[in-house]
Amino acid sequence: MWESMEYSVLVDVYEKIEKTTKRTEMTAYLVMLFKKVPPDIIDKVVYLTQGKICPDYVGLEFGVAEKLAMRAIALATGVNAREVEREVKRLGDVGLAAERLLSSKKRTVSLFAFMGEEFKERPLTIERVYDTLVKIAKATGEGAQDTKVSLLASLLKDAKPKEARYILRTILGRLRLGIADMTIMDALAIAFTGTKAAREVIERAYNLRPDMGYIAKVLVTEGLEGVKKIKITVGVPIKPMLAERLRTPEEILRKLGGKCIAEYKYDGMRVQAHKSGNRVILYSRRLENVTQYFPDACQLIRDHIKAKEAIVEGEVVAIDPDTGDLRPFQELMHRRRKYEIEKAMEEYPVSIFMFDCLYVDGEDLTLKPYTERRKYLMDILEESDRIKLAHYKLISSPRELEEFFEQAIAEGCEGIMCKSLMPNAVYQSGVRGFLWIKYKRDYKAELADTVDLVAVGAFWGKGKRAGTYGALLMAAYDPESDVFRTVCKVGSGFTDEDLEKLPKMFEPYIIPHKHPRVDSKLEADIWFVPAIVMEVTGAEITLSPLHTCAWGIVKEGAGLAIRFPRFLRYRPDKRPEDATTVQEIVDLYKKQRKITMRG
Ligand code: ATP
């Protein structure tokens, strides 16, 4: 039995982290914390620090909205509901309001204590906070709301005012410490192996099993050797392998050694299907469990994947049931409904095009070359008109590649995926590399490709746009330093309806200052937690003194900006860390220069 640890230790670290924007300092605070934590609760500490109680793919949510939280505060402090609401409005933060109300209550209580009443404080332990949060999340069905309120109130009653602040922020999904996964991995490596070098091993394990709490536990109990042995498991999603992009068939073939297998790049939603007997789970590109939205796709996997256990990947695409033609990606969004799934299935039927196979009946295929993985896939897939292998062709000349691309576009695809036939073409989980290269239609923009950017702030609109945002401040991701660097302001491409919805959509992400992971020279009117990803096109990439993307990389004292950017669509399937990287923007800039110089 290990000793327990007080929640206030965690809260002190949160406070320090909140005050710094430096990643090295954040890492140092975490290292100090992790070293102090009793080994059997390291997983709980890691989850709580991520603002969670379990990995995202489990899909366990607190189900506590602001109103419910306020009821719990009222119950815990004995202050009436109206006053709680007034305090929340005044301070603009439920956590701060709870902290204030509790501290005035505690003052009264200590006065009683002073006057001779018995007064015992029971310090909150991390286990108690964590276990109660789990209970709150698990309370469902009839009476769940009351259960959640009384569980939360019981915690708050025993919490110190500052602890209450963080408990509420956690439960409302607003912890927002600005700590990225990468920082946690660095801190784990330093705390338990003494050097940052172990990060690589930890990251590989995290790609195969994206559960930071579990990995931390293995690291602490079995060491780095234990982490090396972490395997893929049916039912637990694997971080997807991603593609690089190149602009011409010649460049693609040169990179892939003169030949490749080209496949249609379908404009749908990537799914990773985990099959175990009759049970099928579907995970999205960002590892969200989307099983409930696609019972038809699950049935296709169940009936047509001839293996007891398998992990396969494919693209779910909306189709026209009368003609079998492919329909655009946007149609799939109608399938993300909680209710009336039957109706949605009928109105927006789908097909699946399979393209990879990561695991079959006990065998991990991720370290086998693509050519072999495909053989496994062909072996276990029984094709029908609704589930097929992605259409493909072996290519050995730029002309063939171009023709195949034209054909893909004509059939409603986004372009093609060119995949390496080399023996080293393993499944690079969580990595964007040149073993897969995409060749895409460019939406008639002059940019070689569209980019996916993260909204980090906004500017109020004027005139016709008064009351909503005039433009959003958009950023690319810099994985090296784990920050988002601005690259343009997007104001066009939105419909009136889109525009009207913007403030409400961003409401949950508003913060009073620039987020610690955002690098910007521009002062936005409103700042956001980097969360929402949008696909953007533009005329060209230029040097800019205003934007921080690639600052000083191409030219001293200048960054890169996208000129005439235009919003194309939201990318709910991407996390902010999946956005286009600073390096990719630099590459797009260089390619464009080469082309103008040549021609
Ligand atoms: P994009 O924004 O271009 O879809 P991405 O960042 O989501 O890119 P990439 O790895 O760059 O992901 O491009 C591959 C994506 O294309 C996959 O995530 C998948 O959704 C889709 N796709 C469609 N057809 C295929 C295919 N045959 N092989 C691999 N991926 C495919």
Side-chain angles (χ1 to χ4, degrees):
M1 185 66 191
W2 300 95
E3 80 273 35
S4 60
M5 190 169 181
E6 286 181 24
Y7 182 60
S8 62
V9 178
L10 216 55
V11 163
D12 289 343
V13 177
Y14 290 169
E15 256 203 323
K16 285 193 199 136
I17 288 178
E18 251 175 0
K19 289 199 184 110
T20 178
T21 52
K22 293 205 189 82
R23 187 172 164 197
T24 43
E25 276 178 24
M26 280 187 192
T27 313
Y29 290 135
L30 288 177
V31 170
M32 272 190 290
L33 170 70
F34 291 161
K35 280 184 168 169
K36 274 194 285 198
V37 174
D40 63 338
I41 59 162
I42 182 78
D43 47 349
K44 296 181 182 175
V45 169
V46 167
Y47 293 135
L48 287 173
T49 308
Q50 290 181 304
K52 304 173 184 169
I53 41 172
C54 58
D56 288 340
Y57 63 80
V58 177
L60 188 61
E61 283 172 15
F62 292 117
V64 174
E66 214 166 84
K67 266 227 165 85
L68 221 58
M70 289 199 280
R71 263 177 62 197
I73 298 173
L75 201 63
T77 56
V79 171
N80 72 44
R82 259 226 200 108
E83 200 183 328
V84 175
E85 206 176 323
R86 218 176 303 132
E87 204 57 20
V88 169
K89 272 224 177 91
R90 190 173 73 82
L91 294 167
D93 175 10
V94 184
L96 286 178
E99 180 175 7
R100 236 251 335 126
L101 292 168
L102 265 182
S103 59
S104 39
K105 178 193 155 201
K106 297 249 150 136
R107 263 202 305 277
T108 329
V109 176
S110 15
L111 196 63
F112 280 128
F114 178 72
M115 285 156 56
E117 301 246 340
E118 181 155 6
F119 173 66
K120 252 195 245 145
E121 270 208 345
R122 232 181 355 139
L124 279 186
T125 60
I126 291 176
E127 290 95 316
R128 168 141 178 244
V129 173
Y130 178 86
D131 295 345
T132 313
L133 290 180
V134 170
K135 276 191 203 141
I136 292 175
K138 286 194 171 158
T140 50
E142 214 181 311
Q145 298 223 334
D146 292 339
T147 314
K148 286 178 199 276
V149 168
S150 71
L151 283 166
L152 180 55
S154 75
L155 260 192
L156 295 178
K157 258 187 209 156
D158 289 334
K160 297 196 185 82
K162 215 192 293 169
E163 293 176 330
R165 187 205 309 171
Y166 288 100
I167 290 174
L168 281 158
R169 286 187 183 167
T170 303
I171 217 162
L172 292 171
R174 297 183 196 155
L175 189 58
R176 298 178 190 167
L177 298 176
I179 310 174
D181 288 353
M182 223 95 75
T183 311
I184 298 186
M185 285 192 261
D186 278 345
L188 286 172
I190 298 169
F192 301 114
T193 70
T195 135
K196 212 164 124 174
R199 220 281 297 284
E200 227 169 274
V201 174
I202 296 177
E203 200 174 336
R204 158 91 188 150
Y206 186 57
N207 285 335
L208 293 182
R209 193 178 172 119
D211 179 344
M212 198 74 86
Y214 173 80
I215 299 213
K217 189 78 169 257
V218 174
L219 181 62
V220 174
T221 51
E222 297 168 43
L224 206 56
E225 282 312 304
V227 175
K228 278 187 194 154
K229 285 192 209 128
I230 288 177
K231 290 203 185 78
I232 58 179
T233 313
V234 179
V236 177
I238 299 161
K239 286 218 186 165
M241 171 169 178
L242 300 170
E244 272 288 355
R245 67 188 106 200
L246 285 174
R247 203 186 156 99
T248 64
E250 288 80 7
E251 280 177 286
I252 294 174
L253 280 172
R254 209 175 308 133
K255 195 87 186 178
L256 295 175
K259 54 181 193 256
C260 68
I261 186 163
E263 294 171 358
Y264 278 9
K265 184 177 192 306
Y266 297 92
D267 189 14
M269 195 184 105
R270 182 176 189 157
V271 290
Q272 192 177 88
H274 290 237
K275 175 179 190 276
S276 177
N278 264 332
R279 195 157 169 249
V280 174
I281 306 176
L282 299 183
Y283 290 107
S284 72
R285 183 189 181 292
R286 52 186 298 175
L287 312 186
E288 199 190 340
N289 187 330
V290 292
T291 314
Q292 58 169 324
Y293 306 121
F294 298 100
D296 42 357
C298 289
Q299 195 59 40
L300 287 168
I301 298 283
R302 209 172 280 126
D303 294 345
H304 294 272
I305 295 291
K306 299 291 165 197
K308 222 172 173 177
E309 282 198 318
I311 304 176
V312 286
E313 279 193 330
E315 192 87 350
V316 167
V317 188
I319 52 153
D320 182 329
D322 299 327
T323 60
D325 287 351
L326 305 176
R327 314 275 308 154
F329 166 81
Q330 280 83 344
E331 298 226 339
L332 277 182
M333 291 300 116
H334 298 286
R335 292 293 299 269
R336 289 200 160 238
R337 288 189 196 164
K338 277 227 160 87
Y339 308 102
E340 299 197 334
I341 281 291
E342 299 294 324
K343 198 160 154 235
M345 274 197 312
E346 221 168 273
E347 282 173 28
Y348 303 98
V350 296
S351 281
I352 319 182
F353 296 93
M354 306 304 306
F355 56 75
D356 219 314
C357 181
L358 316 184
Y359 183 92
V360 176
D361 290 331
E363 214 177 332
D364 177 350
L365 308 177
T366 55
L367 295 175
K368 293 197 187 292
Y370 185 53
T371 42
E372 261 190 64
R373 301 203 303 279
R374 284 188 106 251
K375 275 191 207 138
Y376 277 87
L377 181 59
M378 286 162 118
D379 254 11
I380 59 171
L381 173 65
E382 202 176 84
E383 290 191 305
S384 78
D385 59 343
R386 292 303 264 280
I387 180 165
K388 290 193 175 111
L389 207 58
H391 188 61
Y392 69 98
K393 191 171 179 198
L394 277 166
I395 300 284
S396 49
S397 77
R399 220 184 107 197
E400 277 176 325
L401 200 145
E402 191 64 41
E403 277 171 13
F404 192 62
F405 171 75
E406 297 296 339
Q407 185 188 330
I409 298 291
E411 290 191 26
C413 293
E414 260 191 310
I416 53 176
M417 296 288 292
C418 304
K419 299 185 177 177
S420 168
L421 296 171
M422 311 273 203
N424 66 350
V426 298
Y427 188 89
Q428 290 181 307
S429 169
V431 176
R432 190 181 288 288
F434 281 101
L435 294 174
W436 286 6
I437 303 175
K438 57 184 165 185
Y439 185 44
K440 264 166 88 171
R441 178 183 55 175
D442 58 10
Y443 296 92
K444 305 208 172 14
E446 286 109 278
L447 279 188
D449 195 357
T450 61
V451 287
D452 299 315
L453 303 175
V454 186
V456 295
F459 300 88
W460 286 114
K462 301 192 186 79
K464 229 179 80 192
R465 294 207 183 168
T468 181
Y469 300 153
L472 295 169
L473 183 59
M474 307 298 295
Y477 181 53
D478 180 349
E480 293 232 313
S481 42
D482 186 35
V483 295
F484 299 91
R485 304 193 194 274
T486 73
V487 64
C488 63
K489 275 162 60 171
V490 179
S492 66
F494 297 102
T495 62
D496 288 347
E497 201 185 325
D498 286 336
L499 277 175
E500 210 177 300
K501 286 189 191 147
L502 283 177
K504 196 160 173 42
M505 186 171 105
F506 278 100
E507 212 268 327
Y509 305 106
I510 294 177
I511 39 174
H513 46 73
K514 189 168 69 183
H515 192 272
R517 289 170 70 205
V518 169
D519 175 25
S520 169
K521 282 179 178 296
L522 293 171
E523 240 342 283
D525 295 333
I526 310 136
W527 291 107
F528 306 137
V529 174
I532 295 195
V533 180
M534 302 177 186
E535 192 164 338
V536 170
T537 181
E540 62 172 330
I541 297 175
T542 56
L543 289 168
S544 155
L546 297 177
H547 288 284
T548 55
C549 172
W551 190 261
I553 293 180
V554 177
K555 191 173 167 222
E556 210 173 303
L560 291 177
I562 298 177
R563 236 156 66 89
F564 304 125
R566 196 157 45 82
F567 165 82
L568 287 174
R569 59 185 175 177
Y570 293 106
R571 290 297 304 254
D573 56 329
K574 291 201 171 181
R575 295 173 311 141
E577 291 81 6
D578 298 325
T580 301
T581 62
V582 168
Q583 188 54 47
E584 287 176 290
I585 303 269
V586 173
D587 292 345
L588 284 169
Y589 174 77
K590 288 192 180 150
K591 268 175 217 151
Q592 146 195 309
R593 304 255 316 161
K594 238 193 269 166
I595 286 160
T596 28
M597 270 159 25
R598 262 202 231 129

